[in-house]
Amino acid sequence: MPLIKIDEKQDAKYIDGTKLGHREKLIARTFAGFLRGHPCQGARLSIVKGGVFLSIVSDMTSVESAFNVLNDLREYFGVSDSLGATEKTLAVAFYAEPIGSQEQFAEQYWKFVQLLHDLDCQTFEWDNTVSPVINDTNFELSLSGRAIFTTTLNPSNPRFARKFSYPVWVMNQLSQFNWLRQNGQFSNWQQRIRDLDSKFDPSGVPNPILTDHGKASSAAQLAGSVPKKLNFSYRSSASERALALEKAIVQAREEGCKFDIIMALEALRK
């Protein structure tokens, strides 16, 4: 499905202008309402400015979902580059993904990150402004050649600002935060969000997992918690990438993935 854009009036349509189905319309409307009342001023600014885009997939496990997320992310980059430096966000909603505990969500998050990377690395290099080493203080995710930061929402997250009726990844480019830093706005913006988050949450305290880029790896906060086993492997060599692709193709066939997606994956073989 094409990428969805939520405009400044909170009306949602596919970016090719076609109308949404009932399910997609409900997800977009619910998410827009969530952003309007969120303590993050960046989230509120994005929805007010009409800079929120939405990718809707069924699950956080399948090759088909990973393939579609990467396509939507590339489309988002192409469309959002013409927007302002900060007021733009891509949200990926997993409407049929069953969620147990926060720990289970975090484990599945990282499995899906690995699958995304295994497909993405066939075409794109890791953004060289950040590190692909999971424990490095300069670690950030990279997809389609750009460093991104994901804030995640799910029904089991203990923080009110991260609790939502179904799993969602909220993606922003690291370049957006760097723009704020270069213009001397980041520290005040960050502190304002953390203060509002503390007031929004019944605990009354800041989110304990938050880290500052360059001081600690962002891996601790991307899924809302750190799973007991945080396994992520950067595919640095051609042989590693080839093995990752073959594994993804086998998985796609076992899942009964659409024929055109399997053909697109096989075309990546070098």
Side-chain angles (χ1 to χ4, degrees), residues 34-105:
F34 175 80
L35 291 183
R36 286 197 301 271
H38 200 272
C40 175
Q41 63 194 55
R44 297 197 304 273
L45 180 61
S46 290
I47 198 67
V48 168
K49 293 286 188 178
V52 174
F53 297 80
L54 191 59
S55 171
I56 299 177
V57 295
S58 62
D59 61 77
M60 197 164 49
T61 56
S62 69
V63 173
E64 183 170 332
S65 285
F67 186 89
N68 288 333
V69 168
L70 291 173
N71 278 346
D72 285 347
L73 182 64
R74 288 191 285 270
E75 190 169 28
Y76 164 73
F77 285 153
V79 173
S80 69
D81 282 351
S82 63
L83 301 179
T86 58
E87 58 270 14
K88 51 192 178 185
T89 293
L90 172 67
V92 181
F94 303 90
Y95 71 87
E97 182 69 19
I99 290 298
S101 65
Q102 170 59 36
E103 173 70 21
Q104 289 171 323
F105 173 81

Side-chain angles (χ1 to χ4, degrees), residues 60 102 105-107 109-110 113 126 131 134 139-142 148-154 157 162 168-172 174 177 207 209-211 213 216-227 230 232:
M60 197 164 49
Q102 170 59 36
F105 173 81
E107 289 180 1
Y109 171 92
W110 282 105
V113 166
W126 200 274
S131 172
I134 196 74
F139 171 81
E140 292 288 354
L141 295 181
S142 174
I148 61 167
F149 179 82
T150 61
T151 299
T152 53
L153 316 171
N154 79 81
N157 197 300
R162 304 286 181 90
V168 178
W169 291 20
V170 182
M171 296 185 181
N172 291 96
L174 191 63
F177 303 123
N207 191 336
I209 68 167
L210 296 182
T211 59
H213 179 71
S217 170
S218 71
Q221 60 184 312
L222 301 184
S225 63
V226 183
L230 202 171
F232 174 76

Side-chain angles (χ1 to χ4, degrees), residues 115-231:
L115 181 55
L116 289 170
H117 173 58
D118 287 351
L119 300 182
D120 187 70
C121 71
Q122 309 302 324
T123 308
F124 295 94
E125 296 293 333
W126 200 274
D127 187 329
N128 62 14
T129 65
V130 295
S131 172
V133 180
I134 196 74
N135 294 320
D136 195 300
T137 58
N138 196 40
F139 171 81
E140 292 288 354
L141 295 181
S142 174
L143 293 172
S144 296
R146 301 192 191 191
I148 61 167
F149 179 82
T150 61
T151 299
T152 53
L153 316 171
N154 79 81
S156 297
N157 197 300
R159 299 291 299 188
F160 271 36
R162 304 286 181 90
K163 190 182 292 291
F164 197 58
S165 51
Y166 46 83
V168 178
W169 291 20
V170 182
M171 296 185 181
N172 291 96
Q173 297 181 61
L174 191 63
S175 61
Q176 295 173 247
F177 303 123
N178 291 338
W179 185 91
L180 290 169
R181 289 186 180 94
Q182 292 164 6
N183 286 273
Q185 300 178 35
F186 183 76
S187 294
N188 289 338
W189 176 84
Q190 182 185 59
Q191 190 57 51
R192 173 75 172 157
I193 290 173
R194 292 181 177 181
D195 289 345
L196 289 172
D197 179 62
S198 300
K199 294 176 182 178
F200 188 74
D201 198 82
S203 67
V205 298
N207 191 336
I209 68 167
L210 296 182
T211 59
D212 295 334
H213 179 71
K215 296 183 179 179
S217 170
S218 71
Q221 60 184 312
L222 301 184
S225 63
V226 183
K228 293 177 182 178
K229 292 184 179 181
L230 202 171
N231 297 319

